[in-house]
Amino acid sequence: MDKMLMGILDILNKLNSKINIVTKEDLDEQYENLEDFRKLTSDLDVLLNNFNSVSNDDVDKVEEMLFELHRILTTFEWHFSEISDLNTKILKVYKDNINNV
């Protein structure tokens, strides 16, 4: 998935180079966030593997793991939202800017 996000950022970066609506800093920040995304993916792998070894009767451990799952999922949402925001900024002005060149 991180490679797909990198591909999306590469496309947005290329399109933005024609219209300069998104700052270089905003794009660079999202490229940097990909490392956090990779770590988050690894955390999810570990959590999913650990779920199989926890007894459903150990309610404290299950609850702890569910909270961690919630943290991971909401952080994934944030990462996607950040890239979606860049996409939206470009989408809103790309056609008009290219047609006016």
Side-chain angles (χ1 to χ4, degrees):
M1 180 56 75
D2 60 315
K3 290 178 180 155
M4 291 179 196
L5 291 178
M6 175 78 79
I8 292 168
L9 287 174
D10 289 345
I11 290 167
L12 295 176
N13 191 22
K14 181 179 178 182
L15 295 173
N16 189 61
S17 70
K18 297 177 179 285
I19 60 173
N20 293 314
I21 195 69
V22 175
T23 67
K24 180 181 180 335
E25 291 79 19
D26 285 344
L27 282 163
D28 288 348
E29 180 180 352
Q30 293 311 310
Y31 279 107
E32 290 170 14
N33 286 342
L34 286 178
E35 186 55 39
D36 295 335
F37 186 88
R38 288 180 189 103
K39 169 80 171 82
L40 196 62
T41 302
S42 175
D43 290 349
L44 180 59
D45 283 339
V46 169
L47 182 67
L48 293 175
N49 288 331
N50 288 340
F51 253 116
N52 293 329
S53 65
V54 172
S55 168
N56 292 339
D57 296 328
D58 187 351
V59 294
D60 290 334
K61 186 65 174 172
V62 169
E63 181 181 56
E64 175 187 324
M65 295 177 86
L66 288 172
F67 274 121
E68 180 64 5
L69 182 58
H70 176 73
R71 181 194 68 83
I72 291 170
L73 289 171
T74 57
T75 308
F76 275 139
E77 289 174 340
W78 177 83
H79 280 284
F80 284 107
S81 177
E82 290 290 298
I83 294 173
S84 179
D85 288 349
L86 293 179
N87 183 65
T88 301
K89 286 179 184 177
I90 293 171
L91 173 64
K92 286 181 177 178
V93 300
Y94 188 80
K95 185 177 180 178
D96 289 339
N97 281 11
I98 293 300
N99 285 338
N100 291 330
V101 173

